[in-house]
Amino acid sequence: MTGSIASVADADVKELVETLNFAQKVERSVNLIEQACREFGDRLVVANSLGKDSCAVWHLAKRVSLKIRGFIVTTRFKPAETRQFMAEEVRRHPELRVFSSEEEIADKLYATDPDQCCEILKVRPARQAVKEMNVACWVTGLRCTEGRTRTDFKEVEERDEGLIKLNPILTWYEREVWQYLALNRVPVNPLYAKGYRSLGCWPCTKITQGVDERAGRWVGTSKCGGECGIHTRPLLGEQQ
Ligand code: SF4
């Protein structure tokens, strides 16, 4: 892969999902991160949600450079297992910074207005991370096979002008993520052993079966299987 990272923005994602094998996908992901790292230097930062996809991306990034920094957005509603796993990850990687909001919110806002709850507890701290860490390119664990809201993302996007978003494992299947984590013995959140497939705050995450990997998120609300807003709301230039 040569040239600017933006040159891969038009890649046919669906074709890549279906035609590349596991090893080719891993190679492509490493190349994407390497190329972005060359282009953005220490302004390339990984958004680490502590889910399995983020664990894979974080591991891939560390293969490229041990110096790559990351940020975690956490909330008061994260399960105890996630808080424990976060503490272990930050101990292992002090270059991971943790952001959260202490703002007062209405009781059970997650039930009455989950969009507003996510905006305050997740999106605003993510904006703060982008600003404080002087991020020019953020790297995510988004995958286009993950659920109904994730089918039309690109490997390289610029939803906010001046802020590139790199989705280096966009083309990976869920099985390929687990394959990568197992082959590289990457530690994961113990909640997966209990049957969760997609992790979030405890009031908004259930164990589910079925095709849609994110079906257990925001069950019973209009956001069911959807997004917290970090991937859909502006992260630059919006009033907090
Ligand atoms: S996932 Fe639920 S509890 Fe967490 S910030 Fe969003 S609405 Fe609130």
Side-chain angles (χ1 to χ4, degrees), residues 30-92:
V30 170
N31 285 342
L32 284 169
I33 298 170
E34 261 173 6
Q35 194 171 316
C37 197
R38 272 198 301 274
E39 204 164 322
F40 297 101
D42 66 359
R43 297 188 68 200
L44 173 109
V45 175
V46 176
N48 188 335
S49 75
L50 302 169
K52 65 186 188 313
D53 309 300
S54 284
C55 290
V57 167
W58 184 245
H59 188 273
L60 288 162
K62 295 285 123 179
R63 283 170 60 172
V64 171
S65 166
L66 290 174
K67 288 190 190 151
I68 291 178
R69 298 174 301 155
F71 68 85
I72 295 168
V73 171
T74 192
T75 79
R76 65 199 79 177
F77 296 117
K78 291 291 181 184
E81 291 90 339
T82 301
R83 290 202 304 272
Q84 172 68 27
F85 182 61
M86 179 173 77
E88 289 162 11
E89 283 293 276
V90 172
R91 228 182 351 259
R92 277 189 283 265

Side-chain angles (χ1 to χ4, degrees), residues 9 12 16-17 24 44 51 67-68 73 78 92 97 108 130 164 167 172 174-175 186 192-193 197 227 229 232 237:
D12 185 334
L16 292 171
V17 170
Q24 290 167 327
L44 173 109
K67 288 190 190 151
I68 291 178
V73 171
K78 291 291 181 184
R92 277 189 283 265
R97 281 186 61 186
K108 298 200 174 156
V130 166
I164 298 294
N167 306 314
W172 292 27
E174 182 183 22
R175 183 259 301 164
V186 180
Y192 288 114
R197 286 174 75 195
E227 298 291 334
T232 50

